[in-house]
């Protein structure tokens, strides 16, 4: 098992040289995943990947139930994000990382983000806003993938809209709506949270677009 610092360096290599130290949120998220991975070192990364997708899917009916179930939906979203990071920590720190696993993990990430958008819609967010939120979850990683196909070896600096931010925004929006359900309409809280997420997504995509444009012009 790699040490935490070795794991962070290896994670950076697998993610186009992205420095996790550039964001306290990302570095803290990866450190938490590594801490969880140490006692679970024998678990297959594929198990964590599958569980993450199942848990994210379970957040949708919980969000649709409304009321205090929204708190459960928020917790499920957070847990799915941790499981997603756990599979990467198990694979990289355990020396089991592979290109096949890397691609599979990316596909599952996109599927869980579909579940996040569906959960926000089920909880009361307008359909167009939930679709926009989901699209902005997908777009940065699509841009990075296409830039990589065009020969860009670096994925760019960490933006304000990385995977941990998407998970946190979805989880806190759903959970927060559940906490104040007796005082404020959950649909209002979810709509505002989803809107803020879209704003962060637009800013983050813009940041990434500027970085990739410079890289493509070199």
């Amino acid at each position: 098992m790699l040490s935490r610092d070795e794991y962070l360096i290896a994670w950076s290599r697998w993610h186009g040289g992205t420095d996790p130290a550039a964001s306290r949120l990302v570095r803290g998220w990866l450190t938490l995943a590594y801490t969880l991975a140490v006692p679970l070192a024998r678990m297959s990364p594929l198990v964590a990947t599958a569980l993450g997708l199942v848990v994210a899917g379970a957040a949708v009916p919980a969000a649709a139930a409304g009321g205090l179930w929204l708190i459960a939906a928020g917790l499920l979203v957070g847990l799915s994000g941790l499981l997603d990071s756990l599979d990467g920590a198990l694979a990289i720190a355990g020396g089991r990382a592979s290109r096949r696993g890397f691609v599979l993990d990316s596909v599952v990430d996109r599927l869980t983000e579909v579940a996040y958008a569906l959960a926000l819609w089920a909880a009361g967010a307008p359909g167009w806003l939930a679709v926009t939120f989901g699209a902005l979850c997908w777009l940065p990683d699509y841009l990075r993938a296409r830039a990589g196909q065009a020969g860009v070896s670096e994925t760019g600096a960490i933006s304000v809209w990385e995977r941990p931010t998407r998970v946190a925004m979805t989880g806190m929006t759903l959970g927060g709506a559940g906490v104040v359900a007796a005082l404020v309409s959950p649909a209002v809280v979810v709509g505002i949270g989803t809107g803020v997420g879209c704003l962060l997504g637009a800013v983050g995509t813009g940041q990434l677009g500027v970085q990739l444009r410079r890289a493509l012009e070199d």
Side-chain angles (χ1 to χ4, degrees):
M1 194 79 172
L2 299 178
S3 68
R4 190 201 64 169
D5 290 341
E6 290 171 335
Y7 160 65
L8 292 176
I9 293 171
W11 182 93
S12 178
R13 287 199 301 267
W14 275 99
H15 292 80
T18 300
D19 182 8
S23 168
R24 290 185 179 180
L25 176 60
V26 172
R27 184 180 177 86
W29 187 268
L30 292 175
T31 298
L32 176 58
Y34 174 81
T35 302
L36 293 173
V38 171
L40 299 173
R42 294 186 178 182
M43 177 187 289
S44 168
L46 292 178
V47 172
T49 300
L51 285 175
L53 181 57
V54 171
V55 170
V60 178
L68 293 178
W69 280 103
L70 288 168
I71 299 175
L75 292 174
L76 287 170
V77 166
L79 178 58
S80 74
L82 281 177
L83 286 168
D84 167 59
S85 294
L86 176 62
D87 67 1
L90 288 169
I92 295 174
R96 291 175 285 181
S98 66
R99 290 183 296 177
R100 182 178 62 179
F102 182 75
V103 172
L104 177 62
D105 181 60
S106 297
V107 171
V108 171
D109 283 353
R110 305 292 78 78
L111 292 176
T112 58
E113 286 164 355
V114 170
Y116 297 166
L118 286 173
L120 291 169
W121 171 72
W128 66 269
L129 194 60
V131 169
T132 302
F133 182 94
L136 287 168
C137 286
W138 280 44
L139 187 55
D141 293 279
Y142 176 77
L143 289 174
R144 283 176 168 140
R146 295 296 290 174
Q149 291 177 336
V152 176
S153 59
E154 297 183 359
T155 57
I158 293 175
S159 73
V160 298
W161 191 238
E162 300 298 335
R163 174 77 173 168
T165 308
R166 302 168 206 166
V167 174
M169 279 302 306
T170 307
M172 289 190 298
T173 295
L174 293 171
V179 170
V180 301
L183 302 174
V184 182
S185 169
V188 172
V189 177
V190 172
I192 293 173
T194 306
V196 172
C198 289
L199 178 60
L200 289 174
V203 172
T205 302
Q207 289 176 319
L208 180 61
V210 171
Q211 295 163 6
L212 292 180
R213 180 181 179 181
R214 292 171 181 169
L216 290 167
E217 290 175 347
D218 290 340

